[in-house]
Amino acid sequence: IRNKLVVGRSRTQIYLSNFIACAAAGAVQLFFASAVIWTFIMLLMGRPQIGAPAFLSTCIVMLFLCVSYASIYNFVSMLVSGKAYASILNILLAVAFLITASFLLSKLAIPETMQPYEMGANPYYVSGVKRRVYQFFADCLPAGQTLQMANLSLVWKMPGALFRYCGLSAAIAVILNTAGIILFRHKDLK
């Protein structure tokens, strides 16, 4: 980073170039993974159950998720001085996101009524404002979106899911990159 500063790059340029490189690498990996998955599905299973528009929509959401993940991990990596500490913190963040998203989605999956012996309200059902808050955070967390994307039949039944997921991922990227640039400008590079 010091070498880039010496040749005249601003801290904003350094931060954004690192983010763009990470997001582009994630997008390239996504493209190749999607191509391989689609090819193997076609070869092994014949006609896939998911149509091309749903698959394309899923790829678009996953592209925005790559950008969201890149912004989170770039934020940590650029602000934490040691590479080892940044790596450990990013891994812990990924695990924390996954655990939190799993918890929220498991709470949201509880049925409203109890089956078959006793037809009544389920005391464990999350409803009202608490349900909306849980759903919002499950949708905001990239891991939450990823887990919901794994069950495509549920995701595409929600109206506006494509725009909601893409918008939330873009918002995370904008907020974290803006905060990261501001904090990186004031960081002591030693």
Side-chain angles (χ1 to χ4, degrees), residues 4 9 14 22 29 47 49 63 71 97 133 137 155 184 190:
K4 291 178 183 178
R9 301 284 183 232
I14 294 169
C22 292
Q29 290 175 351
R47 187 173 181 268
Q49 293 178 353
L63 180 65
S71 66
F97 288 158
V133 169
F137 283 114
V155 171
F184 188 64
K190 299 179 185 179

Side-chain angles (χ1 to χ4, degrees), residues 1 5 11 13 38 47 50 52 74 81 96 114 120 141-142 158:
I1 292 175
L5 288 171
R11 289 182 182 227
Q13 288 174 325
W38 190 258
R47 187 173 181 268
I50 180 175
N74 185 51
S81 296
M114 297 185 62
L141 287 172
M158 295 181 346

Side-chain angles (χ1 to χ4, degrees), residues 81-116:
S81 296
K83 287 183 182 181
Y85 293 128
S87 298
I88 291 169
L89 187 55
N90 280 331
I91 290 169
L92 290 174
L93 271 175
V95 171
F97 288 158
L98 188 61
I99 290 170
T100 304
S102 296
F103 169 78
L104 292 172
L105 292 172
S106 70
K107 290 294 185 184
L108 292 169
I110 295 173
E112 187 172 3
T113 58
M114 297 185 62
Q115 302 289 333

Side-chain angles (χ1 to χ4, degrees), residues 98-146:
L98 188 61
I99 290 170
T100 304
S102 296
F103 169 78
L104 292 172
L105 292 172
S106 70
K107 290 294 185 184
L108 292 169
I110 295 173
E112 187 172 3
T113 58
M114 297 185 62
Q115 302 289 333
Y117 303 112
E118 189 179 314
M119 194 63 154
N122 188 345
Y124 301 108
Y125 181 74
V126 179
S127 63
V129 174
K130 190 174 185 181
R131 184 171 192 80
R132 287 192 296 274
V133 169
Y134 278 21
Q135 187 67 54
F136 175 76
F137 283 114
D139 292 347
C140 274
L141 287 172
Q145 286 186 29
T146 304

Side-chain angles (χ1 to χ4, degrees), residues 2-187:
R2 282 189 297 267
N3 292 340
K4 291 178 183 178
L5 288 171
V6 168
V7 296
R9 301 284 183 232
S10 70
R11 289 182 182 227
T12 302
Q13 288 174 325
I14 294 169
Y15 188 93
L16 288 177
S17 68
N18 196 39
F19 164 70
I20 290 169
C22 292
V28 168
Q29 290 175 351
L30 173 68
F31 172 76
F32 283 114
S34 298
V36 168
I37 289 169
W38 190 258
T39 302
F40 276 109
I41 286 174
M42 294 294 284
L43 291 174
L44 298 175
M45 303 175 112
R47 187 173 181 268
Q49 293 178 353
I50 180 175
F55 183 76
L56 182 60
S57 297
T58 303
C59 288
I60 290 169
V61 171
M62 296 304 282
L63 180 65
F64 275 85
L65 273 172
C66 286
V67 171
S68 178
Y69 275 120
S71 66
I72 292 168
Y73 300 137
N74 185 51
F75 178 83
V76 172
S77 297
M78 294 298 281
L79 297 178
V80 174
S81 296
K83 287 183 182 181
Y85 293 128
S87 298
I88 291 169
L89 187 55
N90 280 331
I91 290 169
L92 290 174
L93 271 175
V95 171
F97 288 158
L98 188 61
I99 290 170
T100 304
S102 296
F103 169 78
L104 292 172
L105 292 172
S106 70
K107 290 294 185 184
L108 292 169
I110 295 173
E112 187 172 3
T113 58
M114 297 185 62
Q115 302 289 333
Y117 303 112
E118 189 179 314
M119 194 63 154
N122 188 345
Y124 301 108
Y125 181 74
V126 179
S127 63
V129 174
K130 190 174 185 181
R131 184 171 192 80
R132 287 192 296 274
V133 169
Y134 278 21
Q135 187 67 54
F136 175 76
F137 283 114
D139 292 347
C140 274
L141 287 172
Q145 286 186 29
T146 304
L147 290 174
Q148 291 179 74
M149 295 299 296
N151 191 351
L152 293 175
S153 62
L154 291 177
V155 171
W156 300 122
K157 287 181 183 176
M158 295 181 346
L162 175 67
F163 297 112
R164 179 178 173 85
Y165 289 159
C166 292
L168 288 170
S169 293
I172 289 171
V174 168
I175 290 167
L176 284 178
N177 281 323
T178 303
I181 289 169
I182 291 168
L183 293 172
F184 188 64
R185 284 182 183 166
H186 301 297
K187 181 182 176 191

